[in-house]
Amino acid sequence: MKLQNGIYKCILLFVGCTSFYVHTQAQNWDVNLLKKINPQNPNSAVMLGFTNSANPIGLASPLSLLTAGYIKKDKQLQHKGWEAVGSFAITAVITEGLKHTVNRDRPYKKYPDKIYPNRIQHSPTFPSGHASIAFSTATTLTLEFKKWYVAVPAYAWAAGVSYSRLYLGEHYPSDVIAGAVVGSGSAVLSHWLSKKIFR
């Protein structure tokens, strides 16, 4: 019960601080940095590839672990799969909750003459869902397998996904940073919970 109350307080504090920050001074450095990254014609196939890979890889990771675990009847692999499912679910819930609580417009809506999107989206921008899923996946895999040859490519991919959201003009840098924090934090929380559940 104490842990749950602590988690709720941390989430509320995070929402309050980020809402205040986003609506006050964040815009200046946010939009200036974004302008340096976002070109007038953001159509790089590599950047689109990174962006389009977030959800498929984010979903494939837990499903692959669960499938392999149940086919091999490997309890440890099954636990890893459920931990990955938990991380994905926690990330999705927190990200969507923050998006609709903060309700920040996409940068190209506020700065139509400065930011050039690859495509128009109408959902709120803070935090970046792609970044949160990518960092949730990378952190989960790193916590589960604890090998440098898992961690390095996983985090390189997550960084690529996050950068692509800026290049494509879909998010402010602060959206991506918040997404990375939410995703990584969700993975750590799921890892802790799975140790309690599958003890």
Side-chain angles (χ1 to χ4, degrees):
M1 194 65 178
K2 285 183 181 178
L3 175 67
Q4 286 179 329
N5 288 337
I7 291 169
Y8 294 139
K9 285 177 184 175
C10 287
I11 290 170
L12 286 173
L13 181 63
F14 181 73
V15 171
C17 290
T18 51
S19 296
F20 176 77
Y21 182 71
V22 163
H23 291 298
T24 54
Q25 48 226 345
Q27 300 289 14
N28 291 336
W29 77 267
D30 246 1
V31 76
N32 289 338
L33 180 56
L34 181 57
K35 277 164 50 183
K36 292 176 182 175
I37 297 170
N38 171 238
Q40 285 192 352
N41 188 20
N43 60 1
S44 163
V46 172
M47 293 295 108
L48 286 167
F50 271 116
T51 277
N52 293 333
S53 71
N55 288 325
I57 292 176
L59 286 169
S61 175
L63 291 177
S64 300
L65 291 170
L66 281 174
T67 302
Y70 282 105
I71 287 173
K72 294 180 177 181
K73 297 180 179 172
D74 182 334
K75 291 284 186 191
Q76 192 175 10
L77 206 51
Q78 291 170 27
H79 296 167
K80 290 179 189 294
W82 285 115
E83 182 180 323
V85 168
S87 177
F88 187 91
I90 294 166
T91 297
V93 169
I94 293 174
T95 299
E96 286 306 307
L98 283 171
K99 276 182 180 289
H100 294 288
T101 301
V102 177
N103 200 29
R104 186 186 199 187
D105 283 336
R106 297 272 171 177
Y108 47 80
K109 287 188 176 179
K110 187 160 178 123
Y111 302 99
D113 56 335
K114 295 179 180 177
I115 306 301
Y116 309 97
N118 176 262
R119 67 187 179 95
I120 302 296
Q121 293 185 324
H122 300 290
S123 60
T125 189
F126 183 92
S128 165
H130 285 74
S132 66
I133 288 170
F135 274 90
S136 166
T137 303
T139 305
T140 296
L141 291 172
T142 300
L143 289 170
E144 288 172 344
F145 296 102
K146 295 181 176 66
K147 303 289 184 186
W148 70 266
Y149 51 81
V150 173
V152 170
Y155 279 113
W157 166 73
V161 169
S162 300
Y163 184 85
S164 75
R165 303 307 289 156
L166 303 176
Y167 172 89
L168 297 170
E170 298 294 342
H171 288 283
Y172 294 100
S174 59
D175 299 337
V176 167
I177 292 167
V181 170
V182 168
S184 299
S186 299
V188 170
L189 177 58
S190 181
H191 184 68
W192 181 85
L193 289 172
S194 72
K195 283 186 175 296
K196 296 289 182 186
I197 294 167
F198 299 118
R199 191 160 33 182

